[in-house]
Amino acid sequence: MGLGGLVASLTRTAWLGFALAGSLALIAWAWRHPRTALVAGAGLGLVGLCLVALFGWSDLRFLVPQVDLSSGGALAQRLATFGNLADDGNVWVRGQILRHALSVWPQHPWIGWGIGAYSQVYYYPNANTTSWIPSLFIHQLYNTGILGLGAFVLALALAGWRGFQAWRQAHGLPRAVLGGLLLALVGLLAAFQATEASWLAYFWIYLGLLEAMAAPILERAA
């Protein structure tokens, strides 16, 4: 159900965050099972070479969706935009907002402009709607300055470190749950660099679950 919702969301940043978290999980698995990983990697590499050769020697370009946002097939179109992000309207607008926020932030570098200040003053380029800063860390920097961003990053780092230490010491189901929570948070943080959604509850619920799982394990180890 989760994977179905991820695909159906048509959110490219969510896909990229999931790909990053999945890649880290595969790396961890390969580290613990090097022989199996070597065989699987060789098989995937062979399949990849075959696909490259097939597309290179055959005229199969009709299978690759072309960017045409006016046509049907939203999923195919969303995938096709990865090859043409420079011309994507959403990417352009968010880049403009990030550059503008970084140019205005230095007027209050240490404590920032305050929570929600950007959307109260600025609007989307070429649109009459309030703007928002799409990157989590730039948003925190604009709102709370260097001091606030530093405290925020330190808090995330401490929570992640405690979760990682507990994951190393845990076994069985607790280890699997801790690993899943850590990977989910990494994926969300990656996605939040282009789609800031820390105002939604699930990010903080995952952090709370991570600490709830980590605390008794670390206490027993101490």
Side-chain angles (χ1 to χ4, degrees):
M1 291 177 63
L3 288 175
L6 179 71
V7 174
S9 71
L10 299 177
T11 305
R12 289 168 299 189
T13 52
W15 297 343
L16 292 175
F18 177 78
L20 174 62
S23 298
L24 292 176
L26 285 176
I27 291 173
W29 174 80
W31 182 265
R32 300 188 63 184
H33 306 85
R35 293 184 178 179
T36 306
L38 182 62
V39 174
L44 289 175
L46 182 60
V47 172
L49 288 175
C50 291
L51 290 176
V52 170
L54 183 63
F55 275 87
W57 295 338
S58 304
D59 188 12
L60 299 177
R61 288 175 293 179
F62 68 92
L63 295 176
V64 180
Q66 302 298 313
V67 179
D68 182 8
L69 298 180
S70 63
S71 68
L75 177 59
Q77 292 301 311
R78 206 66 167 166
L79 290 170
T81 57
F82 277 108
N84 198 28
L85 287 176
D87 297 327
D88 186 275
N90 286 331
V91 175
W92 180 85
V93 167
R94 295 183 188 190
Q96 290 287 99
I97 292 172
L98 292 178
R99 286 189 288 271
H100 179 259
L102 289 174
S103 69
V104 176
W105 154 73
Q107 297 179 29
H108 299 282
W110 291 104
I111 61 173
W113 286 80
I115 303 300
Y118 194 87
S119 61
Q120 294 179 15
V121 178
Y122 301 108
Y123 290 80
Y124 272 109
N126 303 323
N128 188 27
T129 180
T130 56
S131 184
W132 61 287
I133 301 174
S135 171
L136 172 62
F137 295 121
I138 295 179
H139 196 181
Q140 289 293 329
L141 180 65
Y142 185 91
N143 285 350
T144 61
I146 295 174
L147 295 178
L149 177 62
F152 180 72
V153 171
L154 179 61
L156 288 181
L158 289 175
W161 178 251
R162 284 175 57 82
F164 178 72
Q165 291 296 324
W167 173 78
R168 293 183 59 187
Q169 299 173 25
H171 302 279
L173 181 60
R175 181 181 177 90
V177 172
L178 284 166
L181 289 170
L182 286 169
L183 290 173
L185 288 168
V186 168
L188 287 173
L189 284 175
F192 286 177
Q193 300 320 302
T195 302
E196 211 284 78
S198 61
W199 49 273
L200 295 175
Y202 56 79
F203 178 73
W204 307 103
I205 290 173
Y206 289 166
L207 272 177
L209 290 173
L210 180 67
E211 178 60 25
M213 288 290 298
I217 296 174
L218 295 176
E219 289 175 1
R220 286 195 297 269

